[in-house]
Amino acid sequence: AAAGRGAEDMRAIMLQRSNRGKHRRGERCRPFMQRSRGGASGRPCHTGAPLPQGAAPRPVNYLAHLYLARQSHPAMLGALLGDFVFGRIALEDYAPQVRREIVIHRRVDRYTDTHPRVSAARALFPEGRRRYAGIVLDVYYDHCLARAWSRHSDQPLDAFTAPFYAYLLQRLDALPERLRRIAPLMAAHDWLGGYRERGNVDRAVARIAGRLSRNGERLVDGLHDLRRHEAEIAAGFEAFFPQLQAYVEQVRGALALPPGDGDVGDVLAGR
């Protein structure tokens, strides 16, 4: 089954350039994604509009995805685009290295959703709030990575994020419309580095809760569950993250690029 998925993803990456869409795809803000943790699916659309009643949005743990693609800025952009580009057809618009990292992002999400350590962390939240646990965990895991950054990288966090912000802002015209809107905010307010501060976890979750049409208080109450079990959840992340890194290297190796495409610096295919 794993080999079949790998072949399927590889076919998606190597879509024929002659069939590129005549207009940009994947730019429409989709309130629900095809992934789930504890019954909560979808990610929030960064439009400022309230989410539908009962919708449990998913924050985007940008920092972890970028770290897993840290070998180059085009790869990091692909990892980021995984939260903004949907479906297979939309992959046609992007250069091979970017396409590969979009696919890896999707595989990372599936691996994370089903990992025993993550499932165990979700189970620490009471049933009435468990469907929102994935939101809290996504944000908190980025905090765990940011606060212990020196254990994961010889490069300071600011030295990791600043060049990528610059790279991203230089390519705004090539980005999906939704990412094009938020990229300047991401850079100006240092979203990636901000998770070093524990208080930013609570603030980020509270902002998401404020955009829910109902049951936002359940999401905020999940912060109390996080505090209650924080040591156990943090320990689970420390056990889970090395396994995730090994998984990503395995997947990336299986999705090898054709000769000459591994260092492509362009975002869009054909440029």
Side-chain angles (χ1 to χ4, degrees):
R5 285 196 302 271
E8 183 181 6
D9 285 337
M10 197 61 212
R11 285 194 296 272
I13 290 175
M14 300 309 299
L15 286 168
Q16 293 296 322
R17 294 183 180 182
S18 61
N19 293 327
R20 286 187 203 111
K22 295 182 180 179
H23 58 82
R24 303 293 299 163
R25 296 178 174 92
E27 297 181 358
R28 178 168 59 89
C29 186
R30 301 187 180 189
F32 299 101
M33 294 278 290
Q34 293 181 346
R35 61 179 291 218
S36 170
R37 279 187 194 166
S41 61
R43 293 180 182 270
C45 300
H46 296 273
T47 61
L51 292 165
Q53 284 196 353
R58 292 297 307 280
V60 278
N61 46 341
Y62 297 132
L63 183 60
H65 279 292
L66 293 174
Y67 174 82
L68 293 169
R70 62 194 180 279
Q71 67 269 17
S72 73
H73 285 150
M76 291 169 66
L77 179 58
L80 180 62
L81 284 169
D83 283 311
F84 298 88
V85 174
F86 309 112
R88 295 190 179 277
I89 297 298
L91 291 172
E92 298 178 43
D93 290 329
Y94 297 96
Q97 184 176 187
V98 176
R99 289 203 301 269
R100 178 175 70 173
E101 296 302 324
I102 294 171
V103 171
I104 291 174
H105 179 123
R106 296 171 183 176
R107 297 285 290 272
V108 164
D109 284 348
R110 292 199 295 269
Y111 178 85
T112 300
D113 286 345
T114 58
H115 194 280
R117 290 284 187 171
V118 180
S119 297
R122 285 199 306 270
L124 296 172
F125 292 70
E127 185 173 349
R129 296 194 286 271
R130 196 167 299 155
R131 73 185 301 259
Y132 300 97
I135 300 172
V136 178
L137 293 175
D138 262 2
V139 175
Y140 184 71
Y141 284 169
D142 259 10
H143 167 66
C144 289
L145 176 58
R147 73 178 179 183
W149 185 261
S150 61
R151 295 213 315 264
H152 299 281
S153 176
D154 295 331
Q155 183 181 36
L157 181 54
D158 290 340
F160 174 79
T161 60
F164 180 70
Y165 288 145
Y167 178 86
L168 187 65
L169 295 178
Q170 290 166 4
R171 289 158 177 80
L172 288 179
D173 290 344
L175 302 180
E177 190 271 336
R178 186 162 60 96
L179 179 55
R180 189 162 60 244
R181 287 201 308 270
I182 70 168
L185 299 174
M186 182 186 301
H189 299 286
D190 189 19
W191 288 8
L192 300 174
Y195 284 119
R196 283 174 292 205
E197 302 297 328
R198 176 60 178 81
N200 284 336
V201 173
D202 293 359
R203 282 186 281 273
V205 171
R207 283 195 298 269
I208 297 167
R211 295 183 51 233
L212 288 172
S213 297
R214 64 178 183 180
N215 296 331
E217 70 281 359
R218 295 186 183 180
L219 176 55
V220 173
D221 287 343
L223 292 170
H224 301 303
D225 301 317
L226 173 63
R227 292 278 185 187
R228 190 175 302 115
H229 302 288
E230 189 160 351
E232 185 174 352
I233 291 172
F237 172 80
E238 293 301 325
F240 155 70
F241 197 60
Q243 296 176 34
L244 176 61
Q245 293 181 69
Y247 171 77
V248 168
E249 291 307 309
Q250 176 186 349
V251 172
R252 187 172 288 120
L255 300 178
L257 294 168
D261 279 336
D263 297 319
V264 172
D266 293 324
V267 176
L268 299 179
R271 289 195 180 181

PDB file of all heavy atoms in Angstrom, residues 106-120:
ATOM      1  N   ARG A 106       1.564  17.020   2.499  1.00  0.00           N
ATOM      2  CA  ARG A 106       0.326  16.257   2.659  1.00  0.00           C
ATOM      3  C   ARG A 106       0.589  14.915   3.344  1.00  0.00           C
ATOM      4  O   ARG A 106      -0.205  14.464   4.186  1.00  0.00           O
ATOM      5  CB  ARG A 106      -0.321  16.043   1.293  1.00  0.00           C
ATOM      6  CG  ARG A 106      -0.757  17.345   0.630  1.00  0.00           C
ATOM      7  CD  ARG A 106      -1.187  17.114  -0.811  1.00  0.00           C
ATOM      8  NE  ARG A 106      -1.549  18.369  -1.475  1.00  0.00           N
ATOM      9  CZ  ARG A 106      -1.885  18.452  -2.750  1.00  0.00           C
ATOM     10  NH1 ARG A 106      -1.896  17.347  -3.506  1.00  0.00           N
ATOM     11  NH2 ARG A 106      -2.196  19.625  -3.287  1.00  0.00           N
ATOM     12  N   ARG A 107       1.705  14.289   2.968  1.00  0.00           N
ATOM     13  CA  ARG A 107       2.051  13.019   3.603  1.00  0.00           C
ATOM     14  C   ARG A 107       2.405  13.219   5.078  1.00  0.00           C
ATOM     15  O   ARG A 107       2.075  12.384   5.938  1.00  0.00           O
ATOM     16  CB  ARG A 107       3.220  12.377   2.848  1.00  0.00           C
ATOM     17  CG  ARG A 107       2.919  12.009   1.397  1.00  0.00           C
ATOM     18  CD  ARG A 107       2.061  10.765   1.282  1.00  0.00           C
ATOM     19  NE  ARG A 107       2.765   9.583   1.660  1.00  0.00           N
ATOM     20  CZ  ARG A 107       3.502   8.826   0.850  1.00  0.00           C
ATOM     21  NH1 ARG A 107       3.645   9.186  -0.419  1.00  0.00           N
ATOM     22  NH2 ARG A 107       4.101   7.747   1.285  1.00  0.00           N
ATOM     23  N   VAL A 108       3.071  14.318   5.387  1.00  0.00           N
ATOM     24  CA  VAL A 108       3.405  14.642   6.779  1.00  0.00           C
ATOM     25  C   VAL A 108       2.128  14.802   7.601  1.00  0.00           C
ATOM     26  O   VAL A 108       2.031  14.309   8.734  1.00  0.00           O
ATOM     27  CB  VAL A 108       4.266  15.916   6.848  1.00  0.00           C
ATOM     28  CG1 VAL A 108       4.305  16.487   8.269  1.00  0.00           C
ATOM     29  CG2 VAL A 108       5.679  15.629   6.371  1.00  0.00           C
ATOM     30  N   ASP A 109       1.142  15.488   7.042  1.00  0.00           N
ATOM     31  CA  ASP A 109      -0.115  15.673   7.764  1.00  0.00           C
ATOM     32  C   ASP A 109      -0.774  14.330   8.071  1.00  0.00           C
ATOM     33  O   ASP A 109      -1.264  14.108   9.184  1.00  0.00           O
ATOM     34  CB  ASP A 109      -1.066  16.546   6.948  1.00  0.00           C
ATOM     35  CG  ASP A 109      -0.694  18.019   6.990  1.00  0.00           C
ATOM     36  OD1 ASP A 109       0.158  18.406   7.816  1.00  0.00           O
ATOM     37  OD2 ASP A 109      -1.257  18.788   6.189  1.00  0.00           O
ATOM     38  N   ARG A 110      -0.789  13.434   7.087  1.00  0.00           N
ATOM     39  CA  ARG A 110      -1.414  12.133   7.316  1.00  0.00           C
ATOM     40  C   ARG A 110      -0.638  11.327   8.357  1.00  0.00           C
ATOM     41  O   ARG A 110      -1.227  10.670   9.216  1.00  0.00           O
ATOM     42  CB  ARG A 110      -1.510  11.349   5.995  1.00  0.00           C
ATOM     43  CG  ARG A 110      -2.481  11.950   4.994  1.00  0.00           C
ATOM     44  CD  ARG A 110      -2.884  10.941   3.937  1.00  0.00           C
ATOM     45  NE  ARG A 110      -1.779  10.531   3.094  1.00  0.00           N
ATOM     46  CZ  ARG A 110      -1.444  11.118   1.952  1.00  0.00           C
ATOM     47  NH1 ARG A 110      -2.126  12.183   1.536  1.00  0.00           N
ATOM     48  NH2 ARG A 110      -0.441  10.667   1.233  1.00  0.00           N
ATOM     49  N   TYR A 111       0.686  11.373   8.261  1.00  0.00           N
ATOM     50  CA  TYR A 111       1.514  10.645   9.224  1.00  0.00           C
ATOM     51  C   TYR A 111       1.281  11.179  10.635  1.00  0.00           C
ATOM     52  O   TYR A 111       1.132  10.394  11.597  1.00  0.00           O
ATOM     53  CB  TYR A 111       2.982  10.813   8.837  1.00  0.00           C
ATOM     54  CG  TYR A 111       3.974  10.145   9.768  1.00  0.00           C
ATOM     55  CD1 TYR A 111       4.307   8.805   9.610  1.00  0.00           C
ATOM     56  CD2 TYR A 111       4.581  10.861  10.798  1.00  0.00           C
ATOM     57  CE1 TYR A 111       5.223   8.194  10.453  1.00  0.00           C
ATOM     58  CE2 TYR A 111       5.490  10.260  11.648  1.00  0.00           C
ATOM     59  CZ  TYR A 111       5.808   8.929  11.469  1.00  0.00           C
ATOM     60  OH  TYR A 111       6.717   8.329  12.314  1.00  0.00           O
ATOM     61  N   THR A 112       1.239  12.488  10.762  1.00  0.00           N
ATOM     62  CA  THR A 112       1.031  13.097  12.076  1.00  0.00           C
ATOM     63  C   THR A 112      -0.324  12.723  12.643  1.00  0.00           C
ATOM     64  O   THR A 112      -0.452  12.372  13.822  1.00  0.00           O
ATOM     65  CB  THR A 112       1.159  14.626  11.963  1.00  0.00           C
ATOM     66  OG1 THR A 112       2.471  14.956  11.490  1.00  0.00           O
ATOM     67  CG2 THR A 112       0.928  15.303  13.314  1.00  0.00           C
ATOM     68  N   ASP A 113      -1.342  12.790  11.820  1.00  0.00           N
ATOM     69  CA  ASP A 113      -2.695  12.507  12.291  1.00  0.00           C
ATOM     70  C   ASP A 113      -2.840  11.109  12.872  1.00  0.00           C
ATOM     71  O   ASP A 113      -3.677  10.878  13.744  1.00  0.00           O
ATOM     72  CB  ASP A 113      -3.688  12.665  11.135  1.00  0.00           C
ATOM     73  CG  ASP A 113      -3.929  14.118  10.770  1.00  0.00           C
ATOM     74  OD1 ASP A 113      -3.573  15.002  11.565  1.00  0.00           O
ATOM     75  OD2 ASP A 113      -4.474  14.360   9.686  1.00  0.00           O
ATOM     76  N   THR A 114      -2.059  10.167  12.375  1.00  0.00           N
ATOM     77  CA  THR A 114      -2.211   8.767  12.788  1.00  0.00           C
ATOM     78  C   THR A 114      -1.094   8.289  13.711  1.00  0.00           C
ATOM     79  O   THR A 114      -1.089   7.113  14.084  1.00  0.00           O
ATOM     80  CB  THR A 114      -2.257   7.868  11.543  1.00  0.00           C
ATOM     81  OG1 THR A 114      -1.058   8.053  10.771  1.00  0.00           O
ATOM     82  CG2 THR A 114      -3.458   8.216  10.673  1.00  0.00           C
ATOM     83  N   HIS A 115      -0.181   9.176  14.086  1.00  0.00           N
ATOM     84  CA  HIS A 115       0.937   8.750  14.928  1.00  0.00           C
ATOM     85  C   HIS A 115       0.444   8.459  16.348  1.00  0.00           C
ATOM     86  O   HIS A 115      -0.330   9.231  16.918  1.00  0.00           O
ATOM     87  CB  HIS A 115       2.024   9.815  14.952  1.00  0.00           C
ATOM     88  CG  HIS A 115       3.317   9.321  15.507  1.00  0.00           C
ATOM     89  ND1 HIS A 115       3.551   9.214  16.868  1.00  0.00           N
ATOM     90  CD2 HIS A 115       4.452   8.889  14.894  1.00  0.00           C
ATOM     91  CE1 HIS A 115       4.766   8.748  17.058  1.00  0.00           C
ATOM     92  NE2 HIS A 115       5.337   8.540  15.881  1.00  0.00           N
ATOM     93  N   PRO A 116       0.893   7.357  16.957  1.00  0.00           N
ATOM     94  CA  PRO A 116       0.420   7.009  18.305  1.00  0.00           C
ATOM     95  C   PRO A 116       0.676   8.097  19.347  1.00  0.00           C
ATOM     96  O   PRO A 116      -0.143   8.295  20.250  1.00  0.00           O
ATOM     97  CB  PRO A 116       1.199   5.729  18.630  1.00  0.00           C
ATOM     98  CG  PRO A 116       1.536   5.139  17.293  1.00  0.00           C
ATOM     99  CD  PRO A 116       1.753   6.304  16.382  1.00  0.00           C
ATOM    100  N   ARG A 117       1.789   8.802  19.259  1.00  0.00           N
ATOM    101  CA  ARG A 117       2.085   9.852  20.244  1.00  0.00           C
ATOM    102  C   ARG A 117       1.098  11.011  20.122  1.00  0.00           C
ATOM    103  O   ARG A 117       0.684  11.599  21.126  1.00  0.00           O
ATOM    104  CB  ARG A 117       3.511  10.364  20.050  1.00  0.00           C
ATOM    105  CG  ARG A 117       4.577   9.368  20.445  1.00  0.00           C
ATOM    106  CD  ARG A 117       4.718   9.282  21.945  1.00  0.00           C
ATOM    107  NE  ARG A 117       5.850   8.451  22.331  1.00  0.00           N
ATOM    108  CZ  ARG A 117       6.308   8.347  23.580  1.00  0.00           C
ATOM    109  NH1 ARG A 117       5.733   9.028  24.542  1.00  0.00           N
ATOM    110  NH2 ARG A 117       7.328   7.562  23.850  1.00  0.00           N
ATOM    111  N   VAL A 118       0.734  11.346  18.902  1.00  0.00           N
ATOM    112  CA  VAL A 118      -0.227  12.428  18.701  1.00  0.00           C
ATOM    113  C   VAL A 118      -1.619  11.978  19.136  1.00  0.00           C
ATOM    114  O   VAL A 118      -2.366  12.728  19.766  1.00  0.00           O
ATOM    115  CB  VAL A 118      -0.215  12.880  17.236  1.00  0.00           C
ATOM    116  CG1 VAL A 118      -1.221  14.005  17.001  1.00  0.00           C
ATOM    117  CG2 VAL A 118       1.190  13.344  16.833  1.00  0.00           C
ATOM    118  N   SER A 119      -1.965  10.736  18.821  1.00  0.00           N
ATOM    119  CA  SER A 119      -3.256  10.202  19.261  1.00  0.00           C
ATOM    120  C   SER A 119      -3.341  10.177  20.779  1.00  0.00           C
ATOM    121  O   SER A 119      -4.390  10.496  21.361  1.00  0.00           O
ATOM    122  CB  SER A 119      -3.456   8.790  18.706  1.00  0.00           C
ATOM    123  OG  SER A 119      -3.504   8.804  17.291  1.00  0.00           O
ATOM    124  N   ALA A 120      -2.239   9.820  21.431  1.00  0.00           N
ATOM    125  CA  ALA A 120      -2.222   9.798  22.890  1.00  0.00           C
ATOM    126  C   ALA A 120      -2.383  11.203  23.461  1.00  0.00           C
ATOM    127  O   ALA A 120      -3.058  11.400  24.481  1.00  0.00           O
ATOM    128  CB  ALA A 120      -0.926   9.167  23.386  1.00  0.00           C
TER     129      ALA A 120
END
